[in-house]
């Protein structure tokens, strides 16, 4: 399954990655070969097989609702490129794109 | 095209914070007034190599809410990653339940103007909240506080069964009441613990093939008050009508699909955020770091057994069992603790009937709660104390207005009604001979009103009764005073 140049650019845009023309070409080939490899699985007859949600044979791994101290605030923002007054500082964003 | 009256068709997505002590996937405390980035850890900061672990309480509260909404709990629920880039989302994806949520189906009956309408529930699922992004007035920067990141968030998605702005508001209010009743969430609107996203379309007649014709769906994001829900929906209904009138062939769901809009509270209008073409591509896929939730029947049954009587059921029972008017039943069941207090009050009263007790609740107890902005559990008197004072009024020991004074003094001092009445000599007097003397004096001192009443002005009687009450320091039985006055002036 060959991935088109536009598809690679779209995936790049969704991942916030700027790609050069060379990279687009190279990644198109690499991504296509990955998809081809996955496509092989389609040769198997999986009707009657439950979809697998998780590789581990586990469920209901839960913890009790008891608070524990986290990171020191200094440390929390310490690794960020910029911080001020305990906040992370980021380039100004205006539109509320949050979709939580 | 037909000229049928448009029918607003509205579904609602509601997000609410669950009442847990810790976050959804890590043990950081959920606190609303902590210093910025002081309730965070490598998990909620999205550091590489960390492993999220589910909060049992959050899962149980979600199941509790789904059950109270008459939904079913599937045998299997799983987690998915929803990808998008925003500075308040450190992992660059939100953990959510995409296609196999914890709760499926159900409904909520919503009272409005003395009637009830039913809103279908599509699904109830768990996810995590994002952080808080702020935009200081000065500079070219925004700042981020990630304390809220990872807070357990319950999303309740309704069917498009809401048909007006008033219904949209009532649905939100009823859902909030239910969540608070169940202790699923505190739903404090000021703290942003509850947010609404109505999806609005108008059904306008049918197309040439007889299928319903819809205007494009607009979803209004992040409304955080009931008032804004009502106004934003009303605005959108009017806007859709206008757009449709201007271009009946172009303004259709088929052509324009769904768009996302914001609400400007100060200007009371919506604005376009994203059209169909710019819609997000979230690239959902199963979350490899979390194993599925398999709610076994025993677990679900235990949660079901712990459900209290739900507000709508209780409201109807109050009308039937206590003979209360719709209004009283609605007021008394709005808060679970108030409703509990009232029922205990009615049980412990010897002489006060249920309707009289409802009046005491609304005129005295709840007035104080509103004035002091406190919960009923925070006042120092219990249902038995209110029963004591209202019984004294019903049996004639004190009059109604003295009753209210005694109630206020009970709150202040913590003393019993009997003690206060005794100490302050407040007991009402119904003694005819004593009151006759008072009435004679009042008539002599107020010849004007006495003459007015004789001349047929019924209202003058009230002034004379008031004078007699004042003369006795409020202790006279107003019924007896009235009888004596009427007898004397008419006789």
């Amino acid at each position: 399954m060959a991935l088109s140049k536009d598809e690679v650019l779209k995936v790049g845009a969704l991942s916030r990655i700027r790609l050069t023309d060379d990279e687009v070409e190279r990644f198109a080939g690499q991504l296509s070969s990955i998809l081809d490899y996955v496509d092989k699985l389609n040769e198997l007859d999986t009707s009657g097989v439950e979809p697998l949600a998780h590789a581990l044979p586990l469920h209901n791994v839960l913890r009790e609702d008891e608070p524990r101290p986290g990171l020191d605030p200094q440390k929390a923002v310490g690794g960020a490129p910029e911080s001020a007054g305990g906040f992370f500082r980021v380039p100004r964003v205006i539109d509320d794109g949050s979709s939580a | 095209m037909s000229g049928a009256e448009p029918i607003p068709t509205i579904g609602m997505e509601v997000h609410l914070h669950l009442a847990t002590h810790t976050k959804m996937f890590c043990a950081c405390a959920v606190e609303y007034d902590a210093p910025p980035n002081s309730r965070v850890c490598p998990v909620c900061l999205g550091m590489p190599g960390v492993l999220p672990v589910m909060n049992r309480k959050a899962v149980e509260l979600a199941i509790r809410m789904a059950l109270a909404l008459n939904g079913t709990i599937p045998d299997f629920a799983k987690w998915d990653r929803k990808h998008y880039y925003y500075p308040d989302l450190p992992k660059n994806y939100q953990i959510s339940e995409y296609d196999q949520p914890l709760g499926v189906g159900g409904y909520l009956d919503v009272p409005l103007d003395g009637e009830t309408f039913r809103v279908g529930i599509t699904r109830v699922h768990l996810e995590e909240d994002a952080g808080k992004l702020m935009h200081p007035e000065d500079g070219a920067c925004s700042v981020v506080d990630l304390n809220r990141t990872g807070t357990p968030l319950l999303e309740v998605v309704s069917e498009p069964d809401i048909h007006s702005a008033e219904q949209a508001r009532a649905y939100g209010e009823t859902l909030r009441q239910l969540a608070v009743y169940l202790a699923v969430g505190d739903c404090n609107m000021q703290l942003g613990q509850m947010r609404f996203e109505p999806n609005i379309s108008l059904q306008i007649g049918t197309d040439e093939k007889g299928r319903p014709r819809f205007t494009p769906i607009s979803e209004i994001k992040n409304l955080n008050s009931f008032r804004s829900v009502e106004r934003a929906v009303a605005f959108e209904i009017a806007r859709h009508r206008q757009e449709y009138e201007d271009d009946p062939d172009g303004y259709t769901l088929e052509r324009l699909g769904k768009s996302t809009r914001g609400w400007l509270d100060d200007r009371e209008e919506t604005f376009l955020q994203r059209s169909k073409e710019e819609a997000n591509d979230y690239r959902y896929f199963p979350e490899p770091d979390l194993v599925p939730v398999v709610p076994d029947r025993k677990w679900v049954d235990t949660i079901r057994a712990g459900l209290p009587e739900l507000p709508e059921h209780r409201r109807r029972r109050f009308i039937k069992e206590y003979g209360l008017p719709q209004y009283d039943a609605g007021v008394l069941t709005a808060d679970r603790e108030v409703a509990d207090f009232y029922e205990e009050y009615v049980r412990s009263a010897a002489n006060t009937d249920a309707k009289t007790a409802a009046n005491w609740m609304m005129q005295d107890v709840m007035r104080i709660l509103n004035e002091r902005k406190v919960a009923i559990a925070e006042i120092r008197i219990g249902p038995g104390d209110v029963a004591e004072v209202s019984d004294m009024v019903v049996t004639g020991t004190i009059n109604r207005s003295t009753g209210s004074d005694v109630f206020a003094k009970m709150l202040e001092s913590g003393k019993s009604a009997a003690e206060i009445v005794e100490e302050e000599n407040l007991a009402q007097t119904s003694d005819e001979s004593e009151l006759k003397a008072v009435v004679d004096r009042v008539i002599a001192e107020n010849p004007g009103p006495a003459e007015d009443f004789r001349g047929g002005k019924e209202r003058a009687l009230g002034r004379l009764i008031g004078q007699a009450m004042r003369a006795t320091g409020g202790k006279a039985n107003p019924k007896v005073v009235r009888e004596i006055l009427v007898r004397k002036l008419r006789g």
Side-chain angles (χ1 to χ4, degrees):
Chain A
M1 185 178 153
L3 218 56
S4 74
K5 200 178 151 184
D6 280 349
E7 284 169 318
V8 175
L9 283 170
K10 189 184 175 208
V11 173
L14 285 171
S15 315
R16 302 292 191 272
I17 298 170
R18 201 174 290 131
L19 299 171
T20 65
D21 288 349
D22 284 353
E23 285 169 331
V24 172
E25 206 148 307
R26 186 151 39 114
F27 291 151
Q30 290 179 351
L31 289 169
S32 296
S33 73
I34 292 170
L35 289 177
D36 285 342
Y37 183 72
V38 175
D39 245 6
K40 263 199 119 38
L41 293 173
N42 282 336
E43 292 168 17
L44 287 171
D45 178 12
T46 54
S47 56
V49 179
E50 280 273 305
L52 186 71
H54 203 277
L56 294 175
L58 292 173
H59 59 259
N60 297 359
V61 177
L62 302 156
R63 42 166 258 279
E64 296 310 312
D65 184 31
E66 287 154 11
R68 279 205 312 266
L71 284 177
D72 177 87
Q74 294 289 323
K75 241 185 183 161
V77 298
E82 276 191 68
S83 66
F87 291 97
F88 295 96
R89 257 159 67 115
V90 298
R92 197 166 179 88
V93 234
I94 341 147
D95 147 51
D96 180 28
S98 156
S99 51
Chain B
M1 195 191 110
S2 93
E5 182 64 10
I7 306 165
T9 306
I10 303 158
M12 189 107 83
E13 293 169 22
V14 180
H15 286 96
L16 59 96
H17 281 181
L18 293 174
T20 58
H21 300 301
T22 66
K23 296 187 178 181
M24 188 63 235
F25 300 114
C26 63
C28 288
V30 173
E31 277 173 42
Y32 294 86
D33 48 5
N37 299 304
S38 64
R39 299 295 180 272
V40 294
C41 75
V43 173
C44 56
L45 288 178
M47 300 287 184
V50 297
L51 203 58
V53 186
M54 285 176 263
N55 183 336
R56 175 189 299 276
K57 179 86 183 288
V59 174
E60 288 178 348
L61 291 177
I63 294 176
R64 188 173 165 85
M65 187 70 174
L67 288 174
L69 288 166
N70 310 289
T72 50
I73 311 302
D75 292 325
F76 184 93
K78 75 172 187 28
W79 299 97
D80 300 276
R81 291 184 179 183
K82 176 184 181 178
H83 298 83
Y84 64 93
Y85 287 85
Y86 213 66
D88 61 9
L89 188 76
K91 295 196 299 292
N92 293 337
Y93 59 84
Q94 177 195 30
I95 303 177
S96 181
E97 294 171 317
Y98 179 54
D99 56 354
Q100 294 192 274
L102 270 170
V104 175
Y107 59 86
L108 179 66
D109 286 333
V110 181
L112 178 64
D113 298 335
E115 289 179 23
T116 301
F117 64 98
R118 178 165 289 188
V119 178
I121 301 296
T122 314
R123 55 185 279 160
V124 172
H125 73 255
L126 264 177
E127 54 189 37
E128 52 174 349
D129 205 354
K132 225 183 216 167
L133 189 63
M134 281 151 285
H135 316 286
E137 292 282 320
D138 50 357
C141 285
S142 296
V143 297
V144 189
D145 172 11
L146 296 180
N147 284 347
R148 197 177 67 184
T149 307
T151 298
L153 205 56
L154 190 75
E155 178 167 345
V156 179
V157 182
S158 91
E159 293 289 304
D161 293 341
I162 297 164
H163 301 296
S164 70
E166 296 74 26
Q167 285 193 351
R169 180 192 182 118
Y171 171 75
E173 288 175 338
T174 306
L175 195 67
R176 176 182 186 277
Q177 184 193 44
L178 181 64
V180 173
Y181 238 77
L182 295 168
V184 158
D186 296 334
C187 300
N188 181 321
M189 316 292 280
Q190 277 77 39
L191 292 178
Q193 291 177 334
M194 196 173 192
R195 308 195 289 267
F196 305 90
E197 292 174 353
N199 282 262
I200 298 138
S201 172
L202 301 185
Q203 192 212 317
I204 305 180
T206 50
D207 64 14
E208 52 284 346
K209 288 181 188 148
R211 293 171 306 194
R213 174 201 295 269
F214 290 99
T215 59
I217 297 172
S218 47
E219 174 174 353
I220 314 172
K221 303 297 281 185
N222 268 325
L223 299 172
N224 55 14
S225 72
F226 297 122
R227 182 175 171 276
S228 63
V229 168
E230 184 169 353
R231 301 212 174 187
V233 169
F235 178 89
E236 276 301 285
I237 291 173
R239 192 181 64 81
H240 279 231
R241 269 175 180 256
Q242 189 60 49
E243 298 258 16
Y244 180 79
E245 263 173 43
D246 293 348
D247 182 12
D249 295 324
Y251 197 67
T252 64
L253 180 59
E254 274 169 339
R255 285 192 187 208
L256 297 175
K258 181 172 168 176
S259 64
T260 306
R261 302 180 73 86
W263 170 248
L264 298 168
D265 212 32
D266 43 349
R267 295 172 59 174
E268 302 218 337
E269 58 186 44
T270 64
F271 65 97
L272 182 68
Q273 283 182 327
R274 267 195 301 268
S275 65
K276 179 175 130 190
E277 288 76 28
E278 313 158 86
N280 278 334
D281 181 343
Y282 291 123
R283 294 154 293 143
Y284 280 99
F285 68 70
E287 165 61 87
D289 288 343
L290 286 163
V291 297
V293 185
V294 180
D296 67 72
R297 291 304 102 190
K298 222 179 109 196
W299 191 20
V300 174
D301 287 344
T302 308
I303 296 170
R304 194 193 302 274
L307 287 177
E309 183 184 18
L310 301 182
E312 177 57 14
H313 185 272
R314 198 169 202 184
R315 193 180 68 85
R316 291 187 199 176
R317 181 168 63 77
F318 274 28
I319 294 169
K320 230 177 103 194
E321 191 175 319
Y322 300 120
L324 296 183
Q326 293 259 4
Y327 175 81
D328 296 25
V331 170
L332 292 174
T333 54
D335 178 318
R336 184 171 155 192
E337 288 182 334
V338 168
D340 289 346
F341 189 104
Y342 171 73
E343 293 209 85
E344 183 56 37
Y345 168 20
V346 171
R347 268 194 296 275
S348 51
N351 300 293
T352 310
D353 63 53
K355 172 60 186 149
T356 306
N359 292 342
W360 275 87
M361 287 298 294
M362 294 187 291
Q363 289 162 19
D364 293 85
V365 181
M366 296 178 75
R367 187 176 53 81
I368 293 285
L369 300 182
N370 289 337
E371 275 174 19
R372 302 189 180 180
K373 306 219 182 312
V374 294
I376 201 155
E378 296 171 72
I379 58 172
R380 62 196 296 178
I381 62 177
D385 303 314
V386 186
E388 186 194 1
V389 62
S390 72
D391 276 350
M392 289 175 98
V393 172
V394 174
T395 54
T397 309
I398 52 177
N399 67 40
R400 182 65 179 86
S401 72
T402 304
S404 282
D405 294 342
V406 170
F407 173 77
K409 284 175 180 154
M410 289 164 81
L411 276 175
E412 295 306 324
S413 64
K415 287 180 184 164
S416 76
E419 279 177 287
I420 293 166
V421 169
E422 167 75 28
E423 276 175 21
E424 307 200 10
N425 191 22
L426 295 172
Q428 152 172 284
T429 173
S430 307
D431 182 79
E432 285 254 354
S433 57
E434 190 183 325
L435 291 180
K436 264 183 191 155
V438 174
V439 168
D440 283 339
R441 207 166 63 237
V442 166
I443 292 173
E445 285 167 7
N446 298 275
E451 207 44 53
D452 287 348
F453 181 72
R454 283 199 189 94
K457 277 194 186 165
E458 290 285 331
R459 284 173 61 191
L461 190 63
R463 284 188 54 192
L464 294 170
I465 295 173
Q467 291 297 331
M469 296 304 293
R470 196 169 306 162
T472 57
K475 289 190 295 179
N477 180 335
K479 242 174 89 189
V480 177
V481 169
R482 165 183 277 272
E483 280 164 18
I484 298 172
L485 266 169
V486 170
R487 220 161 46 225
K488 293 221 175 238
L489 294 172
R490 290 233 168 100

